[in-house]
Structures are given as structure tokens and as C-alpha cells.
């Protein structure tokens, strides 16, 4: 993983590399792809600093240290989360560590209190560009007097962003009589139909959607462009559509997980150099080595999903009834699953080396919540998706994968859970549906072929000359292009707008 001579310069080969900061929202679903993104840009010759809370710095430190030892200019700058000032106790520095939703409010306040710390970092060590998480709007306006261009990392794809924007602007969901009545999302390149039961909370009638809309517009005004963990062959129409409706360039540079090779970076991704993580990765992969090609369904719902006990039980019984081999990652805070057939099933608690598992020849399908990181990792591996959205924009991602890309099938979840209120959500998908969908996906040759073709396109996208490779170069040229003095946008002026 040596730096490639891709940073453009104006004929001065001794010019210093551009310095870039990458700052994600502190939770694995955001920090992992941002870490991959920082390594990707470092591999193209930039001087990359990944800004993390201390908990996530520990988790991601191993891969960054290995990249630096291999010659890349990359480092982590750790910030202490001002938890006590926000009334947050318990030492929680990552959203997935929160024991209940009641702490989400204080956690959000603590994250906002990182703003002056980040601004101070920029003043002490100025950069040529900042790539900030789109849910951290204060990162777009920190230290405005420096005039540093800011690029928003969207955290999801352009299809979901386009759907969300249309729902907030046009509110078609307000005109239906029930939660299950389909409605057309207006203004998109394709006819997309949803129901209120499948919407993110922020877009539901009665939600404080105006606040989300104002935040969205504030980020649009402040950003120089969008950095998206996606690639042209997955959602080209929506990359172009989002550029058009926001008036800002979109740099689709993914799938960023492909920056991970086949070594320790893949085996320990998200768990630093933990001895226990390395041992667990070895255990899972050794078990997969004993299974026939494409015979295993991998089941994982990300770091934030917490199913009620009844749903965990139905899922476990459905997997057992399917007759398929399976690897099932059960969340740390989930109820214990039913006893699985030890010959066909491997139950993993808390974490598995997901990128390595998806690349394994034994894996034939992936039951996922359709978080965007999981969607792009499945696309990169060429593995069919069994889509089971849970909350946020995950139902929109399902619509892309199942309805437009054709690389997945729906598990049958017609409604999601409210994060923090899962215990009252009951059973969304029953054991019969689980068994039927798993059996069907593993036997579907056409589905497997479409997913495999998407995997080939993903890999070509990041190779020299591919669409994502070229997008990285275009963003670097944009960073280095001389620009006039920027208009300084302050938080107060944004509120007036």
C-alpha cells in the first residue's frame, strides 16, 4: 500500500502533499468508512489526519498504524468527548456504547461540544481541506476565518439522500390515509413508492422535520462538495441527480472498504489490535473453511440494532428451519438466541470480521439491516443481500438494492423499529419468512449472478482509470485548485438564512 503519485501539482515535484482532516460522527458505522476513506486518500499521496474520540481511536488505531508503517502519511488525532459537560456519565464515547436511548440526547450535546476543540485543532494545524461527517454541521463552519474548503461525507448513498431530500421538501407522506398506503416519492429519476411505516423518523408527519431540513440546507450551503462511499455502476443516475438538485459536485469514491487488503486490516477491522478480536476472526474463518462454496448465509445487523427477545427467537428458529449453514452475529445488547445446530450454525457475540467473511467463498448471502456500510461491503464482495431494514434510511437503501440494482431480495420487514424502543416493537419477520427467504436466496442463480457482476464493477471502479479512482483524483484537483477568498458563513448567519 505505497503512496501513488496521484496528487496533482503545478509542476513542482517538491510541493508538500495536501493536508486533509477526516472527522466522523463517533460510532462504528460512520468511523469505519471514514477511516477507510482517510487511508484511501493517504494512498493517493495526501497527508491525512483522522479525528476520532478516544474510544474509536483505540478501535481503529491498528490499521492506521500499519498504514503509517507502510509509508503512508496518516495519523489519528484523538479528542476527549466533553461528556461531563453534557451531563453524560458512564464514559461513553461512541454511540454504540450507549445502554439506552435516553442517553442519546446528552451524547448528541457532547458531540456538539467537540466543535470548539476541532476549531482549535484547525487553527493550530491548518489543513488544505476537511472531509466532515454530514451529521456534524459544525465541522463545516469551524474556524471560518481560515477559509478551508469543506467536503461533506454523506454516510449513505445518493439514492437514499435523494429520497430523504424529496420527502423533507415535498412531504408526500402527509397525504396518505394510513401507515401502509403506498405513495410516490416525487422528483426522482425512477418511480419510487414507500409507505409511512418504512420512513425515517425525521420525515414522519408530526416529527420536527423543519429542523432537519434547515440542517440539511445549512450543510449544503457550507460544503464545497459531497464525498460518497458509492460508485457509478451502483447508482449513477442518483449521483447525477444529487449534484443537480444541490448544485454541488459529488465525488463517488467507493466502495472504500476495498482499501483493505487480505491481511490484518481485514481481519481486525474495527477492533484495533485486540488479541481477542484476532482470535475470534481466526475462529470464524476456520469454521467457514469447512463449508462448501456459497452454502453459508451471514447474518449481521450492525452496531446499533437491538432486537426484542421475540424477534431474536423467531430469527434463530427461522435460520434453523432453513437448513442452511449460517454465521450469526448477535449484538452485545441483544437477548441470547435460541440454541443453534452446532454443525450448521456459528453464533458470534458482538463482532465478526465482516469484510473478510463476505469475501469468503463459502458465503452465499448476507442478511443485513441495509446500513450503507453493509450495502457497499456486500456490493464489493459480490454477495447477494437479504434486506431487513430496521430504522433511519435503511428502507431507502433496500429500495435501491432490491428494486433498482437487483442484487438483493426483501426479507419482508414492512415496518421498522424505533431506536431505543425495540422492546415494544414485537416480531417484524417471522420464522417461516426467514427460512423461506434464506433458502430461496441461496438457490437463486440469477440473483447470485447479478450480485457477482456488481462485485466486478465495484472492483473495476477503484482500479486505475475506474470511476471511483478518477473521482478521488478529481477531488484532489478541486482541493488544490486556486480559489478566490471564500465567503465566510457563520452559524448565526446560517440560522438567519
Amino acid at each position: 500500500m505505497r503512496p501513488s503519485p496521484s496528487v496533482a501539482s503545478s509542476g513542482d515535484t517538491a510541493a508538500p502533499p495536501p493536508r486533509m482532516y477526516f472527522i466522523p460522527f463517533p460510532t462504528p458505522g460512520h468511523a469505519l468508512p471514514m477511516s477507510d476513506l482517510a487511508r484511501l486518500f493517504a494512498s493517493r499521496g495526501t497527508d491525512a489526519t483522522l479525528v476520532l474520540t478516544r474510544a474509536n481511536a483505540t478501535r481503529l488505531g491498528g490499521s492506521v498504524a500499519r498504514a503509517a508503517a507502510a509509508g503512508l502519511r496518516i495519523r489519528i488525532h484523538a479528542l476527549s468527548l466533553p461528556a461531563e459537560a453534557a451531563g453524560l456519565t458512564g464514559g461513553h464515547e461512541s454511540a454504540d456504547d450507549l445502554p439506552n436511548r435516553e442517553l442519546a440526547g446528552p451524547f448528541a450535546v457532547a458531540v456538539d461540544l467537540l466543535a470548539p476543540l476541532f476549531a482549535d485543532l484547525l487553527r493550530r494545524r491548518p489543513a488544505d481541506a476537511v472531509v466532515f461527517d454530514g451529521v456534524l454541521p459544525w465541522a463545516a463552519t469551524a474556524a471560518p476565518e481560515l477559509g478551508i474548503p469543506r467536503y461533506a461525507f454523506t454516510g449513505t448513498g445518493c439514492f437514499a439522500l435523494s429520497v430523504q431530500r424529496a420527502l423533507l421538501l415535498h412531504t408526500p407522506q402527509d397525504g396518505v390515509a394510513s401507515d401502509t398506503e403506498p405513495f410516490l416519492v416525487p422528483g426522482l429519476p425512477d418511480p419510487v413508492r414507500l409507505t409511512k411505516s418504512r420512513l425515517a423518523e425525521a420525515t414522519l408527519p408530526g416529527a420536527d422535520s423543519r429542523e432537519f431540513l434547515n440542517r440539511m440546507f445549512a450543510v449544503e450551503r457550507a460544503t464545497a462538495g459531497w464525498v460518497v462511499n458509492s460508485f457509478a455502476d451502483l447508482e449513477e443516475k442518483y449521483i447525477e441527480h444529487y449534484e443537480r438538485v444541490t448544485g454541488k459536485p459529488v465525488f463517488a469514491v467507493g466502495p472504500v472498504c476495498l482499501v483493505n487488503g487480505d491481511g490484518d486490516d481485514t481481519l481486525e477491522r474495527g477492533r484495533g489490535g485486540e488479541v481477542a478480536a484476532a482470535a475470534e476472526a481466526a475462529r470464524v474463518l476456520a469454521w467457514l473453511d469447512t463449508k462448501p462454496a456459497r452454502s453459508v448465509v451471514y447474518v449481521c445487523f450492525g452496531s446499533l440494532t437491538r432486537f426484542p427477545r421475540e424477534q431474536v427467537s423467531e430469527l434463530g428458529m427461522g435460520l434453523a428451519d432453513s437448513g442452511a449453514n449460517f454465521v450469526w452475529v448477535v449484538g452485545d445488547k441483544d437477548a441470547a438466541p435460541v440454541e443453534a445446530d452446532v454443525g450448521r450454525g456459528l453464533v458470534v457475540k458482538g463482532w465478526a470480521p465482516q469484510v473478510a467473511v463476505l469475501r469468503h467463498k463459502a458465503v452465499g448471502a448476507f442478511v443485513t439491516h441495509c446500513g450503507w456500510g453493509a450495502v457497499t461491503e456486500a456490493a464489493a464482495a459480490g454477495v447477494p443481500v437479504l434486506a431487513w431494514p430496521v430504522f433511519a434510511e435503511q428502507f431507502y437503501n433496500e429500495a435501491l438494492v432490491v428494486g433498482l440494482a437487483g442484487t438483493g431480495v426483501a426479507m419482508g420487514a414492512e415496518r421498522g423499529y424505533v431506536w431505543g424502543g425495540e422492546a415494544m416493537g414485537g416480531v417484524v419477520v417471522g420464522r417461516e419468512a426467514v427460512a423461506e427467504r434464506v433458502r430461496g436466496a441461496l438457490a437463486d442463480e440469477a440473483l447470485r449472478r447479478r450480485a457477482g457482476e456488481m462485485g466486478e464493477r465495484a472492483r473495476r471502479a477503484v482500479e486505475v482509470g475506474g470511476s471511483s479512482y478518477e473521482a478521488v483524483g478529481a477531488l484532489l484537483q478541486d482541493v488544490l485548485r486556486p480559489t478566490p477568498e471564500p465567503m465566510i458563513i457563520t452559524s448565526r448567519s446560517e440560522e438567519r438564512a
Side-chain angles (χ1 to χ4, degrees):
M1 193 167 56
R2 295 178 180 175
S4 64
S6 1
V7 173
S9 68
S10 56
D12 182 3
T13 57
R19 295 158 297 172
M20 298 179 68
Y21 284 106
F22 299 82
I23 179 167
F25 183 81
T27 198
H30 292 237
L32 271 171
M34 188 76 90
S35 172
D36 291 340
L37 186 70
R39 288 173 56 210
L40 172 62
F41 275 85
S43 74
R44 297 287 292 273
T46 68
D47 186 319
T49 298
L50 186 62
V51 182
L52 302 169
T53 58
R54 296 191 183 279
N56 285 305
T58 299
R59 288 173 170 175
L60 300 174
S63 63
V64 172
R66 282 189 291 271
L72 301 189
R73 295 183 180 90
I74 187 170
R75 68 194 62 79
I76 289 175
H77 183 90
L79 296 176
S80 294
L81 191 72
E84 292 185 5
L88 180 68
T89 59
H92 307 294
E93 288 199 323
S94 188
D96 63 311
D97 288 337
L98 298 177
N100 57 64
R101 189 174 184 174
E102 284 67 40
L103 293 179
F107 183 78
V109 172
V111 171
D112 283 347
L113 291 176
L114 290 171
L117 302 181
F118 183 58
D120 180 62
L121 172 63
L122 290 181
R123 292 185 181 103
R124 288 187 290 108
R125 304 176 191 170
D128 295 293
V130 169
V131 179
F132 68 98
D133 198 309
V135 298
L136 300 178
W138 46 260
T141 54
E145 72 277 6
L146 299 178
I148 300 171
R150 320 295 169 103
Y151 299 85
F153 184 67
T154 62
T156 191
C158 285
F159 175 81
L161 290 167
S162 298
V163 170
Q164 176 176 276
R165 197 176 194 278
L167 292 172
L168 287 169
L169 283 173
H170 305 296
T171 62
Q173 62 273 28
D174 291 352
V176 294
S178 72
D179 286 353
T180 56
E181 179 183 344
F183 61 85
L184 183 70
V185 182
L188 299 180
D190 297 291
V192 176
R193 288 178 172 82
L194 294 170
T195 62
K196 285 197 289 187
S197 65
R198 301 161 72 84
L199 300 185
E201 286 182 69
T203 54
L204 289 172
D208 192 5
S209 56
R210 190 73 219 170
E211 177 187 349
F212 286 88
L213 190 62
N214 289 339
R215 285 169 71 96
M216 181 179 72
F217 285 152
V219 171
E220 285 183 12
R221 287 193 297 271
T223 186
W226 311 101
V227 183
V228 186
N229 180 19
S230 189
F231 57 104
D233 281 321
L234 180 60
E235 52 168 8
E236 185 170 19
K237 283 192 292 187
Y238 291 90
I239 292 169
E240 294 171 352
H241 174 77
Y242 205 65
E243 282 189 326
R244 187 163 56 252
V245 298
T246 65
K248 299 293 176 71
V250 172
F251 303 95
V253 300
V256 296
C257 66
L258 288 174
V259 76
N260 293 278
D262 294 321
D264 291 342
D265 289 340
T266 303
L267 296 179
E268 300 172 17
R269 187 167 181 262
R271 281 296 184 270
E274 296 175 16
V275 174
E280 185 71 329
R283 180 176 80 97
V284 173
L285 295 178
W287 186 88
L288 287 171
D289 287 341
T290 68
K291 304 304 174 186
R294 299 186 295 275
S295 71
V296 176
V297 60
Y298 173 60
V299 185
C300 183
F301 292 89
S303 59
L304 293 180
T305 300
R306 301 168 190 175
F307 279 151
R309 182 176 297 275
E310 303 92 333
Q311 183 62 84
V312 172
S313 178
E314 289 288 306
L315 172 55
M317 290 186 292
L319 290 172
D321 292 347
S322 73
N325 299 315
F326 61 88
V327 173
W328 181 11
V329 183
V330 181
D332 288 325
K333 300 175 181 67
D334 272 332
V338 296
E339 288 297 319
D341 183 323
V342 293
R344 290 192 298 99
L346 179 66
V347 177
V348 180
K349 189 72 173 177
W351 173 88
Q354 182 157 292
V355 169
V357 168
L358 289 173
R359 292 177 182 175
H360 197 285
K361 66 181 186 300
V363 174
F366 178 19
V367 178
T368 172
H369 62 310
C370 283
W372 190 243
V375 168
T376 57
E377 288 164 7
V383 173
V385 161
L386 284 158
W388 185 335
V390 179
F391 49 72
E393 88 292 351
Q394 293 162 13
F395 281 99
Y396 316 155
N397 295 335
E398 178 194 44
L400 171 68
V401 171
V402 175
L404 298 181
T407 56
V409 294
M411 285 289 283
E414 294 298 330
R415 61 180 175 84
Y417 294 100
V418 174
W419 185 66
E422 295 93 339
M424 311 218 271
V427 175
V428 171
V429 179
R431 66 186 289 182
E432 296 85 0
V434 171
E436 178 187 348
R437 298 309 202 288
V438 167
R439 282 194 298 265
L442 289 175
D444 192 332
E445 292 290 343
L447 175 65
R448 182 182 301 155
R449 184 180 63 255
R450 290 193 298 271
E453 291 170 352
M454 188 63 75
E456 288 298 322
R457 293 171 184 170
R459 288 185 283 276
R460 287 199 299 267
V462 301
E463 292 173 354
V464 175
S467 63
S468 297
Y469 183 93
E470 294 298 323
V472 173
L475 192 148
L476 290 173
Q477 289 180 350
D478 199 68
V479 167
L480 295 172
R481 182 180 298 119
T483 57
E485 285 298 315
M487 179 179 68
I488 294 176
I489 302 174
T490 65
S491 298
R492 185 167 297 177
S493 65
E494 284 174 355
E495 290 170 2
R496 287 198 298 269

PDB file of all heavy atoms in Angstrom, residues 359-381:
ATOM      1  N   ARG A 359     -16.024 -11.846   1.889  1.00  0.00           N
ATOM      2  CA  ARG A 359     -15.141 -12.236   0.792  1.00  0.00           C
ATOM      3  C   ARG A 359     -14.903 -13.740   0.742  1.00  0.00           C
ATOM      4  O   ARG A 359     -14.378 -14.251  -0.241  1.00  0.00           O
ATOM      5  CB  ARG A 359     -13.789 -11.524   0.924  1.00  0.00           C
ATOM      6  CG  ARG A 359     -13.853 -10.028   0.695  1.00  0.00           C
ATOM      7  CD  ARG A 359     -12.484  -9.402   0.908  1.00  0.00           C
ATOM      8  NE  ARG A 359     -12.524  -7.958   0.746  1.00  0.00           N
ATOM      9  CZ  ARG A 359     -11.488  -7.157   0.965  1.00  0.00           C
ATOM     10  NH1 ARG A 359     -10.331  -7.666   1.353  1.00  0.00           N
ATOM     11  NH2 ARG A 359     -11.599  -5.856   0.800  1.00  0.00           N
ATOM     12  N   HIS A 360     -15.296 -14.444   1.779  1.00  0.00           N
ATOM     13  CA  HIS A 360     -15.002 -15.877   1.842  1.00  0.00           C
ATOM     14  C   HIS A 360     -15.873 -16.632   0.841  1.00  0.00           C
ATOM     15  O   HIS A 360     -17.065 -16.366   0.696  1.00  0.00           O
ATOM     16  CB  HIS A 360     -15.245 -16.397   3.258  1.00  0.00           C
ATOM     17  CG  HIS A 360     -14.613 -17.717   3.524  1.00  0.00           C
ATOM     18  ND1 HIS A 360     -15.115 -18.906   3.034  1.00  0.00           N
ATOM     19  CD2 HIS A 360     -13.489 -18.049   4.241  1.00  0.00           C
ATOM     20  CE1 HIS A 360     -14.351 -19.900   3.428  1.00  0.00           C
ATOM     21  NE2 HIS A 360     -13.352 -19.411   4.157  1.00  0.00           N
ATOM     22  N   LYS A 361     -15.299 -17.615   0.172  1.00  0.00           N
ATOM     23  CA  LYS A 361     -16.002 -18.335  -0.892  1.00  0.00           C
ATOM     24  C   LYS A 361     -17.196 -19.127  -0.373  1.00  0.00           C
ATOM     25  O   LYS A 361     -18.107 -19.478  -1.136  1.00  0.00           O
ATOM     26  CB  LYS A 361     -15.037 -19.268  -1.613  1.00  0.00           C
ATOM     27  CG  LYS A 361     -14.492 -20.412  -0.779  1.00  0.00           C
ATOM     28  CD  LYS A 361     -13.522 -21.269  -1.582  1.00  0.00           C
ATOM     29  CE  LYS A 361     -13.071 -22.512  -0.809  1.00  0.00           C
ATOM     30  NZ  LYS A 361     -12.380 -22.175   0.446  1.00  0.00           N
ATOM     31  N   ALA A 362     -17.228 -19.410   0.936  1.00  0.00           N
ATOM     32  CA  ALA A 362     -18.340 -20.190   1.487  1.00  0.00           C
ATOM     33  C   ALA A 362     -19.615 -19.364   1.643  1.00  0.00           C
ATOM     34  O   ALA A 362     -20.705 -19.929   1.769  1.00  0.00           O
ATOM     35  CB  ALA A 362     -17.943 -20.777   2.842  1.00  0.00           C
ATOM     36  N   VAL A 363     -19.507 -18.045   1.652  1.00  0.00           N
ATOM     37  CA  VAL A 363     -20.663 -17.182   1.926  1.00  0.00           C
ATOM     38  C   VAL A 363     -21.458 -16.952   0.649  1.00  0.00           C
ATOM     39  O   VAL A 363     -20.920 -16.493  -0.358  1.00  0.00           O
ATOM     40  CB  VAL A 363     -20.213 -15.844   2.554  1.00  0.00           C
ATOM     41  CG1 VAL A 363     -21.396 -14.888   2.697  1.00  0.00           C
ATOM     42  CG2 VAL A 363     -19.576 -16.105   3.912  1.00  0.00           C
ATOM     43  N   GLY A 364     -22.763 -17.269   0.717  1.00  0.00           N
ATOM     44  CA  GLY A 364     -23.614 -17.143  -0.453  1.00  0.00           C
ATOM     45  C   GLY A 364     -24.687 -16.094  -0.346  1.00  0.00           C
ATOM     46  O   GLY A 364     -25.350 -15.772  -1.349  1.00  0.00           O
ATOM     47  N   ALA A 365     -24.921 -15.525   0.849  1.00  0.00           N
ATOM     48  CA  ALA A 365     -25.936 -14.473   1.020  1.00  0.00           C
ATOM     49  C   ALA A 365     -25.682 -13.767   2.344  1.00  0.00           C
ATOM     50  O   ALA A 365     -25.012 -14.302   3.241  1.00  0.00           O
ATOM     51  CB  ALA A 365     -27.345 -15.056   0.981  1.00  0.00           C
ATOM     52  N   PHE A 366     -26.222 -12.561   2.470  1.00  0.00           N
ATOM     53  CA  PHE A 366     -25.972 -11.688   3.624  1.00  0.00           C
ATOM     54  C   PHE A 366     -27.299 -11.097   4.090  1.00  0.00           C
ATOM     55  O   PHE A 366     -27.927 -10.315   3.389  1.00  0.00           O
ATOM     56  CB  PHE A 366     -25.010 -10.579   3.179  1.00  0.00           C
ATOM     57  CG  PHE A 366     -24.658  -9.541   4.212  1.00  0.00           C
ATOM     58  CD1 PHE A 366     -24.832  -9.753   5.571  1.00  0.00           C
ATOM     59  CD2 PHE A 366     -24.119  -8.317   3.806  1.00  0.00           C
ATOM     60  CE1 PHE A 366     -24.488  -8.791   6.509  1.00  0.00           C
ATOM     61  CE2 PHE A 366     -23.766  -7.340   4.733  1.00  0.00           C
ATOM     62  CZ  PHE A 366     -23.960  -7.580   6.089  1.00  0.00           C
ATOM     63  N   VAL A 367     -27.757 -11.516   5.272  1.00  0.00           N
ATOM     64  CA  VAL A 367     -28.928 -10.906   5.904  1.00  0.00           C
ATOM     65  C   VAL A 367     -28.456  -9.668   6.647  1.00  0.00           C
ATOM     66  O   VAL A 367     -27.666  -9.758   7.594  1.00  0.00           O
ATOM     67  CB  VAL A 367     -29.621 -11.875   6.878  1.00  0.00           C
ATOM     68  CG1 VAL A 367     -30.812 -11.189   7.547  1.00  0.00           C
ATOM     69  CG2 VAL A 367     -30.084 -13.130   6.147  1.00  0.00           C
ATOM     70  N   THR A 368     -28.936  -8.498   6.222  1.00  0.00           N
ATOM     71  CA  THR A 368     -28.411  -7.234   6.745  1.00  0.00           C
ATOM     72  C   THR A 368     -29.511  -6.214   6.962  1.00  0.00           C
ATOM     73  O   THR A 368     -30.556  -6.258   6.312  1.00  0.00           O
ATOM     74  CB  THR A 368     -27.352  -6.655   5.781  1.00  0.00           C
ATOM     75  OG1 THR A 368     -26.990  -5.331   6.220  1.00  0.00           O
ATOM     76  CG2 THR A 368     -27.882  -6.549   4.360  1.00  0.00           C
ATOM     77  N   HIS A 369     -29.239  -5.275   7.863  1.00  0.00           N
ATOM     78  CA  HIS A 369     -30.156  -4.167   8.132  1.00  0.00           C
ATOM     79  C   HIS A 369     -30.115  -3.111   7.044  1.00  0.00           C
ATOM     80  O   HIS A 369     -30.882  -2.154   7.083  1.00  0.00           O
ATOM     81  CB  HIS A 369     -29.797  -3.524   9.466  1.00  0.00           C
ATOM     82  CG  HIS A 369     -28.416  -2.925   9.507  1.00  0.00           C
ATOM     83  ND1 HIS A 369     -27.280  -3.606   9.117  1.00  0.00           N
ATOM     84  CD2 HIS A 369     -27.979  -1.703   9.881  1.00  0.00           C
ATOM     85  CE1 HIS A 369     -26.231  -2.839   9.252  1.00  0.00           C
ATOM     86  NE2 HIS A 369     -26.616  -1.669   9.716  1.00  0.00           N
ATOM     87  N   CYS A 370     -29.246  -3.263   6.086  1.00  0.00           N
ATOM     88  CA  CYS A 370     -29.114  -2.306   4.976  1.00  0.00           C
ATOM     89  C   CYS A 370     -28.579  -0.956   5.422  1.00  0.00           C
ATOM     90  O   CYS A 370     -28.918   0.085   4.849  1.00  0.00           O
ATOM     91  CB  CYS A 370     -30.435  -2.112   4.214  1.00  0.00           C
ATOM     92  SG  CYS A 370     -30.811  -3.476   3.107  1.00  0.00           S
ATOM     93  N   GLY A 371     -27.736  -0.942   6.457  1.00  0.00           N
ATOM     94  CA  GLY A 371     -26.917   0.234   6.662  1.00  0.00           C
ATOM     95  C   GLY A 371     -26.008   0.393   5.450  1.00  0.00           C
ATOM     96  O   GLY A 371     -25.646  -0.599   4.804  1.00  0.00           O
ATOM     97  N   TRP A 372     -25.629   1.629   5.113  1.00  0.00           N
ATOM     98  CA  TRP A 372     -24.926   1.838   3.857  1.00  0.00           C
ATOM     99  C   TRP A 372     -23.563   1.165   3.822  1.00  0.00           C
ATOM    100  O   TRP A 372     -23.131   0.667   2.783  1.00  0.00           O
ATOM    101  CB  TRP A 372     -24.790   3.326   3.568  1.00  0.00           C
ATOM    102  CG  TRP A 372     -24.288   3.602   2.177  1.00  0.00           C
ATOM    103  CD1 TRP A 372     -23.126   4.214   1.830  1.00  0.00           C
ATOM    104  CD2 TRP A 372     -24.937   3.250   0.951  1.00  0.00           C
ATOM    105  NE1 TRP A 372     -23.015   4.273   0.459  1.00  0.00           N
ATOM    106  CE2 TRP A 372     -24.114   3.690  -0.104  1.00  0.00           C
ATOM    107  CE3 TRP A 372     -26.144   2.613   0.642  1.00  0.00           C
ATOM    108  CZ2 TRP A 372     -24.443   3.513  -1.444  1.00  0.00           C
ATOM    109  CZ3 TRP A 372     -26.483   2.437  -0.684  1.00  0.00           C
ATOM    110  CH2 TRP A 372     -25.630   2.877  -1.715  1.00  0.00           C
ATOM    111  N   GLY A 373     -22.883   1.119   4.976  1.00  0.00           N
ATOM    112  CA  GLY A 373     -21.609   0.412   5.004  1.00  0.00           C
ATOM    113  C   GLY A 373     -21.779  -1.045   4.633  1.00  0.00           C
ATOM    114  O   GLY A 373     -21.007  -1.600   3.840  1.00  0.00           O
ATOM    115  N   ALA A 374     -22.805  -1.694   5.182  1.00  0.00           N
ATOM    116  CA  ALA A 374     -23.060  -3.099   4.867  1.00  0.00           C
ATOM    117  C   ALA A 374     -23.435  -3.275   3.408  1.00  0.00           C
ATOM    118  O   ALA A 374     -23.002  -4.236   2.756  1.00  0.00           O
ATOM    119  CB  ALA A 374     -24.173  -3.641   5.770  1.00  0.00           C
ATOM    120  N   VAL A 375     -24.233  -2.354   2.864  1.00  0.00           N
ATOM    121  CA  VAL A 375     -24.638  -2.441   1.455  1.00  0.00           C
ATOM    122  C   VAL A 375     -23.417  -2.375   0.545  1.00  0.00           C
ATOM    123  O   VAL A 375     -23.275  -3.168  -0.401  1.00  0.00           O
ATOM    124  CB  VAL A 375     -25.643  -1.325   1.112  1.00  0.00           C
ATOM    125  CG1 VAL A 375     -25.846  -1.211  -0.402  1.00  0.00           C
ATOM    126  CG2 VAL A 375     -26.984  -1.572   1.793  1.00  0.00           C
ATOM    127  N   THR A 376     -22.515  -1.437   0.807  1.00  0.00           N
ATOM    128  CA  THR A 376     -21.344  -1.293  -0.065  1.00  0.00           C
ATOM    129  C   THR A 376     -20.359  -2.439   0.128  1.00  0.00           C
ATOM    130  O   THR A 376     -19.697  -2.853  -0.819  1.00  0.00           O
ATOM    131  CB  THR A 376     -20.639   0.051   0.178  1.00  0.00           C
ATOM    132  OG1 THR A 376     -20.258   0.167   1.557  1.00  0.00           O
ATOM    133  CG2 THR A 376     -21.547   1.211  -0.193  1.00  0.00           C
ATOM    134  N   GLU A 377     -20.255  -2.971   1.356  1.00  0.00           N
ATOM    135  CA  GLU A 377     -19.371  -4.120   1.576  1.00  0.00           C
ATOM    136  C   GLU A 377     -19.890  -5.361   0.856  1.00  0.00           C
ATOM    137  O   GLU A 377     -19.110  -6.142   0.300  1.00  0.00           O
ATOM    138  CB  GLU A 377     -19.229  -4.367   3.084  1.00  0.00           C
ATOM    139  CG  GLU A 377     -18.381  -3.311   3.777  1.00  0.00           C
ATOM    140  CD  GLU A 377     -18.528  -3.288   5.276  1.00  0.00           C
ATOM    141  OE1 GLU A 377     -19.199  -4.168   5.845  1.00  0.00           O
ATOM    142  OE2 GLU A 377     -17.965  -2.364   5.902  1.00  0.00           O
ATOM    143  N   ALA A 378     -21.217  -5.546   0.844  1.00  0.00           N
ATOM    144  CA  ALA A 378     -21.792  -6.664   0.092  1.00  0.00           C
ATOM    145  C   ALA A 378     -21.582  -6.475  -1.401  1.00  0.00           C
ATOM    146  O   ALA A 378     -21.241  -7.432  -2.115  1.00  0.00           O
ATOM    147  CB  ALA A 378     -23.283  -6.785   0.403  1.00  0.00           C
ATOM    148  N   ALA A 379     -21.773  -5.246  -1.884  1.00  0.00           N
ATOM    149  CA  ALA A 379     -21.571  -4.973  -3.310  1.00  0.00           C
ATOM    150  C   ALA A 379     -20.125  -5.244  -3.698  1.00  0.00           C
ATOM    151  O   ALA A 379     -19.849  -5.852  -4.750  1.00  0.00           O
ATOM    152  CB  ALA A 379     -21.945  -3.525  -3.628  1.00  0.00           C
ATOM    153  N   ALA A 380     -19.183  -4.816  -2.861  1.00  0.00           N
ATOM    154  CA  ALA A 380     -17.771  -5.019  -3.166  1.00  0.00           C
ATOM    155  C   ALA A 380     -17.409  -6.494  -3.208  1.00  0.00           C
ATOM    156  O   ALA A 380     -16.535  -6.910  -3.980  1.00  0.00           O
ATOM    157  CB  ALA A 380     -16.904  -4.293  -2.137  1.00  0.00           C
ATOM    158  N   ALA A 381     -18.059  -7.297  -2.368  1.00  0.00           N
ATOM    159  CA  ALA A 381     -17.768  -8.728  -2.314  1.00  0.00           C
ATOM    160  C   ALA A 381     -18.569  -9.526  -3.334  1.00  0.00           C
ATOM    161  O   ALA A 381     -18.322 -10.724  -3.504  1.00  0.00           O
ATOM    162  CB  ALA A 381     -18.051  -9.261  -0.907  1.00  0.00           C
TER     163      ALA A 381
END
